[in-house]
């Protein structure tokens, strides 16, 4: 390794004490990413309640983000601070392969998670039969296989640098120089197609949530007048009308919360990765992007691996409870809502009620709908309780 004086060397043109502040900031990002993903992986294996099929996708996501923190970020930090590749020259192409593979695997795992949530919402009664453990592992293996094919194969075969004298230049920092065709193909396979799938599935989830909220609201306002035993219609009581309005208002608030949840998830994902892929294609066209700007945008994409273990468990009540048992500072004391209706967990195991649900149930305890399941990173909060499932309505949902 080549010794470098950080007080006078920085790829970002920072002098004085600036590089040391940069060291502290990048080191903090690496530690947060590594510790957060390691904690959540250990939590899934330690807690029996978290060992289900759906969490296989989350473990794969956390593993890819952990590899970004341990394999990709430290050499990238040296690239930024020193302005040159100070490690072994032979390790440069290997690191580039892992860089592309780990980041692509993280994005593809997000796509697979959205597909899993989509299947659970659109077809909850058949989810367990469709999403078996073998199929889940097949999807995870496909995501990692595509990420490996998009990284190791073209870089080792020098497909990314056809027309360039060198695909990477360790003397000026280990950076991947790509041609426009390779940049377009790689961006479409590892970002634009998965992003389109994520947007499609989350928008469909949101539409199902709003439709279910409207069903519950319509159910709370029966279209037929109430009849007395003598055949005379009676107006609904004031208390009943107020309860129905509260139910409809609560369902509307849940729909708004669902929209905000999906907006946060999609907004953070695109704000982290979209600038990088646009800049990467622009760099392939004109090579006019300054190295400091390119490194900063690349680190913005890396930070998506830092946000994933924070954002996704934020919407998972079962993870919150498991963290509360492990870390007292993270405990939540929200009471568990009773589930007298047909409910479906993350694992797809339906809990059938002993008695059929009554449409005249207490409106003060509103049933959970698909709006709750937009927080579908939560195995228990995602219990889809379907009081609307009459015998002639099962086929309309599934």
């Amino acid at each position: 390794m080549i010794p470098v004086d950080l007080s006078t060397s920085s790829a970002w043109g920072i002098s004085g004490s600036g590089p040391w502040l940069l060291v502290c900031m990048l080191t903090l990002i690496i530690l947060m990413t590594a510790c957060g993903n390691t904690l959540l992986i250990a939590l899934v294996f330690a807690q029996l309640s978290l060992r289900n099929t759906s969490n296989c996708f989350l473990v794969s996501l956390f593993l890819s983000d952990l590899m970004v923190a341990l394999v990709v970020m430290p050499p990238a930090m040296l690239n930024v601070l020193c302005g040159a590749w100070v490690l072994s020259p032979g390790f440069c192409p290997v690191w580039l392969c892992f860089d592309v593979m780990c980041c692509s695997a993280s994005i593809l795992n997000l796509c697979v998670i959205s597909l899993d949530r989509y299947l659970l919402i659109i077809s909850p009664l058949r989810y367990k039969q469709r999403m078996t453990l073998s199929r889940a592992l097949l999807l995870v293996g496909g995501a990692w296989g595509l990420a490996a094919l998009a990284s190791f194969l073209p870089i080792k075969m020098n497909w990314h640098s056809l027309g360039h004298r060198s695909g990477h230049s360790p003397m000026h920092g280990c950076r991947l120089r790509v041609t426009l065709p390779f940049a377009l193909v790689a961006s479409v396979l590892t970002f634009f197609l998965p992003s389109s799938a994520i947007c499609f599935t989350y928008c469909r989830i949101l539409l199902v949530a709003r439709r279910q909220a409207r069903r519950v609201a319509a159910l709370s306002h029966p279209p037929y007048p109430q009849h007395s035993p003598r055949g005379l219609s009676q107006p609904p009581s004031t208390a009943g009308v107020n309860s129905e309005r509260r139910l409809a208002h609560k369902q509307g608030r849940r729909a708004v919360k669902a929209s905000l949840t999906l907006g946060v998830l999609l907004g953070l994902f695109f704000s982290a990765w979209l600038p990088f892929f646009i800049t990467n294609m622009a760099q392939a066209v004109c090579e006019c992007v300054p190295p400091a700007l390119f490194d900063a945008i690349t680190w913005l994409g890396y930070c998506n691996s830092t946000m994933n273990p924070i954002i996704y468990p934020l919407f998972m009540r079962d993870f919150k409870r498991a963290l509360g048992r492990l870390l007292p500072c993270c405990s939540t004391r929200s009471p568990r809502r009773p589930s007298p209706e047909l409910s479906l967990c993350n694992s797809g195991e339906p809990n059938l009620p002993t008695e059929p649900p009554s449409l005249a149930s207490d409106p003060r305890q509103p049933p959970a709908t698909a709006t709750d399941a937009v927080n579908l990173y939560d195995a228990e909060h995602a219990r889809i309780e379907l009081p609307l499932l009459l015998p002639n309505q099962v086929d309309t949902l599934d």
Side-chain angles (χ1 to χ4, degrees):
M1 179 180 294
I2 304 172
V4 178
D5 184 8
L6 290 181
S7 62
T8 59
S9 177
S10 174
W12 291 8
I14 303 175
S15 59
S17 60
W20 295 108
L21 295 177
L22 188 60
V23 168
C24 295
M25 183 182 69
L26 298 182
T27 303
L28 180 62
I29 292 174
I30 294 174
L31 291 178
M32 288 178 57
T33 308
C35 295
N37 287 285
T38 302
L39 175 63
L40 292 179
I41 292 174
L43 201 63
V44 172
F45 285 101
Q47 298 293 329
L48 185 62
S49 60
L50 299 180
R51 301 177 193 170
N52 53 56
T53 303
S54 291
N55 284 344
C56 290
F57 305 116
L58 288 172
V59 171
S60 179
L61 172 66
F62 299 148
L63 179 60
S64 62
D65 292 335
L66 179 62
M67 292 184 64
V68 172
L70 299 180
V71 180
V72 178
M73 287 186 177
M77 183 177 67
L78 293 178
N79 251 353
V80 168
L81 296 174
C82 305
W85 183 254
V86 296
L87 302 177
S88 172
F91 183 64
C92 175
V94 177
W95 174 74
L96 290 174
C97 292
F98 276 100
D99 185 3
V100 177
M101 185 191 72
C102 295
C103 295
S104 301
S106 179
I107 296 173
L108 293 173
N109 279 316
L110 293 176
C111 178
V112 172
I113 290 173
S114 68
L115 175 63
D116 176 66
R117 303 300 85 192
Y118 174 75
L119 293 177
L120 177 57
I121 285 296
I122 299 301
S123 183
L125 300 179
R126 299 177 185 173
Y127 173 80
K128 188 176 179 62
Q129 288 73 30
R130 292 178 176 177
M131 188 55 68
T132 60
L133 180 60
S134 59
R135 291 179 180 176
L137 294 178
L138 184 63
L139 286 174
V140 170
W144 283 93
L146 181 57
L149 286 177
S151 56
F152 279 89
L153 181 62
I155 292 178
K156 289 296 183 181
M157 300 294 293
N158 288 326
W159 294 348
H160 64 289
S161 59
L162 295 177
H164 287 172
R165 287 188 300 175
S166 176
H168 49 84
S169 51
M171 294 303 299
H172 303 285
C174 187
R175 294 180 175 86
L176 190 66
R177 299 178 58 193
V178 297
T179 59
L180 182 59
F182 177 83
L184 289 175
V185 173
S187 299
V188 168
L189 289 179
T190 61
F191 178 74
F192 289 107
L193 283 181
S195 300
S196 301
I198 291 173
C199 290
F200 171 77
T201 53
Y202 282 170
C203 288
R204 286 297 305 270
I205 288 173
L206 184 58
L207 291 176
V208 171
R210 290 181 172 177
R211 184 169 65 245
Q212 187 75 352
R214 287 195 298 267
R215 286 184 180 181
V216 174
L219 190 65
S220 64
H221 296 80
Y224 304 104
Q226 299 177 356
H227 296 277
S228 63
R230 297 180 181 179
L232 301 177
S233 61
Q234 296 179 347
S237 63
T238 305
V241 172
N242 292 336
S243 299
E244 292 167 0
R245 289 177 178 175
R246 285 196 299 268
L247 173 60
H249 178 67
K250 192 166 186 178
Q251 296 300 328
R253 290 179 60 185
R254 287 176 178 173
V256 172
K257 183 180 179 182
S259 303
L260 293 176
T261 299
L262 295 184
V264 169
L265 293 175
L266 294 177
L268 288 176
F269 172 73
F270 282 106
S271 62
W273 280 117
L274 186 59
F276 169 79
F277 283 94
I278 293 177
T279 306
N280 190 44
M281 288 187 291
Q283 179 73 356
V285 173
C286 61
E287 297 187 1
C288 54
V289 181
L293 177 60
F294 192 85
D295 288 340
I297 294 176
T298 302
W299 272 91
L300 181 62
Y302 292 161
C303 287
N304 187 65
S305 297
T306 309
M307 294 184 292
N308 284 338
I310 300 174
I311 295 300
Y312 278 78
L314 194 63
F315 304 110
M316 302 169 65
R317 185 174 296 178
D318 49 349
F319 268 78
K320 288 182 181 179
R321 291 198 178 107
L323 281 173
R325 290 191 291 267
L326 183 64
L327 304 174
C329 60
C330 300
S331 61
T332 57
R333 300 186 178 276
S334 58
R336 295 185 62 177
R337 182 172 54 190
S339 301
E341 318 294 347
L342 174 66
S343 56
L344 189 67
C345 293
N346 224 7
S347 59
E349 185 70 33
N351 298 324
L352 297 177
T354 56
E355 297 181 1
S358 174
L359 297 182
S361 59
D362 187 3
R364 292 174 298 177
Q365 193 64 258
T369 65
T371 310
D372 292 321
V374 174
N375 295 336
L376 264 191
Y377 311 102
D378 172 4
E380 287 197 313
H381 192 232
R383 291 177 181 271
I384 309 171
E385 301 168 4
L386 302 172
L388 307 180
L389 283 181
L390 301 179
N392 60 342
Q393 292 177 316
V394 174
D395 294 335
T396 63
L397 176 68
D398 200 3

